[in-house]
Amino acid sequence: LSSEEPPQENGIIQTTQDQHSSISPPSSTVSGAPDDEPFSTYFEEKVPIPEDVTQMFSLRKLWAFTGPGFLMSIAYLDPGNIESDLQSGAKAGFKLLWVLLGATIIGLLLQRLAARLGVVTGMHLAEVCNRQYPTVPRIILWLMVELAIIGSDMQEVIGCAIAFNLLSVGRIPLWGGVLITIIDTFVFLFLDKYGLRKLEAFFGFLITIMAVSFGYEVRTSFSLPGSRFDNIYRAVIMPHNIYLHSALVKSRSIDRGNKKEVKEANKYYFIESTIALFISFLINVFVVAVFAEAFYEKTNIEVVDSPHTDLFPLDNSRLQVDIYKGGVVLGCFFGPVALYIWAIGILAAGQSSTMTGTYSGQFVMEGFLNLRWSRFARVLLTRSIAIFPTLLVAVFQDVQHLTGMNDFLNVLQSMQLPFALIPILTFTSLTSIMNDFANGLVWKIGGGVVILVVCAINMHFVVVYVTSLSSVALYVLAGFLCIAYLCFVGYLVWHCLIALGVSCLDVSCLASRVSNNRPSVFIEEQPEYDT
């Protein structure tokens, strides 16, 4: 171990660790990069925060911090979640509204951890993982997060393609909609050249379109009741969104050596995230409520006067809907205007979420791999990874047979949840990284329990999906993959438990204490903050 003083980075003292620890100390910044920005990001502009020392709460400061939370909330409104909402409403009525509220609250608590990591350290989660995990686990973690982004992007691009198909009355095929989405995604991504605030305003405009569109469907179909809540659980948390939010908060000008400014930024970001997720919750409620009120326990035979009779068999079986069929059914019951407004809402959801998904891919790739590519090259690579499988699906499938693919993609993303939730709890619990802002005992225990419950429920959905495949060969393959998967999750959990204070699991630390009387794995030093 070096005898030099601990290096400082972004106003935070980085402490040395035991050489036998599998979590390495943070490395130095990339050569040639500014001290306060180890990696390049889309957000080259820093939004200034107005000075206002006379008030405990300032609307001007809240407005300055407003933006990252709304971009983060778009992941809760992507076409995959919209389809889950409409299916839950059509199949289970209003029972999942209770679940939706609980999942949104849990999501808010987890997003709070992501925002705090970015604010306190000046690094997003992928950068911290790159500095703290050894090479092999880091590469595996990167691959798992990329899988989650690919799965999410496929749902988002297909959602846009379905919206184009509905708006064109079937004239634009699914693959044509995918190609259009590719082109306009590149166009919109370069809007950040005109200023970060204008880009955030554009995303706010897309959220407004979703709220108006799905709100119109509510007004058309029924008056929203408020007392039919039951206990059926479904999680809507997106793994790549944790990485995204921890990066977006870096776009504000904050002196991380000033404890007061860091504390203030954490407060305003939490308020902004609460408002953003509350709005996303209301939009999700609109979708669930429309299909619960209008189509719960409806049968195929009730879809009358439809030009799409091939979609609905003439029998009394339960009506099955997805994003495409849902739009058709709305058109059958409430007229073509309802169909077109539904398609506009889906287009806004898909367009906004596919762009934020691209941002996630860019942050994850440059954070884990330390890439210094041009903006165009980064966008081209991150989009291509998701677009090629999506285009293949669009070419060989039509809009009537995508529900099975959506179920598979939901399962894929459920399996990736631990690879975002476990690292964020690990690093926000370390005083050697977060200093005075490390998780307290309540957050450590509460966060661990919440993550355990969310991951366990999602794993239950995975098991249900795999057992429904009814194939011995797939069972065997799933068994081998499950062993490797659980081993890696166990590795991450082991480090997380050490960070949470279960020092008896740190075998290397115990061995070094016996032989050399060395200190613990995580040596914690408190920084001298400016006042």
Side-chain angles (χ1 to χ4, degrees), residues 183-204:
I183 296 172
D184 61 24
T185 296
F186 278 99
V187 173
F188 289 138
L189 280 173
F190 288 103
L191 283 174
D192 61 352
K193 283 187 175 181
Y194 299 98
L196 175 60
R197 298 297 275 176
K198 292 183 177 65
L199 178 68
E200 292 173 346
F202 174 73
F203 281 102

Side-chain angles (χ1 to χ4, degrees), residues 281-302:
F281 168 72
L282 290 181
I283 295 174
N284 280 291
V285 167
F286 290 164
V287 178
V288 173
V290 167
F291 285 85
E293 177 69 15
F295 307 118
Y296 179 51
E297 295 186 338
K298 291 292 192 300
T299 61
N300 291 313
I301 200 68
E302 296 180 69

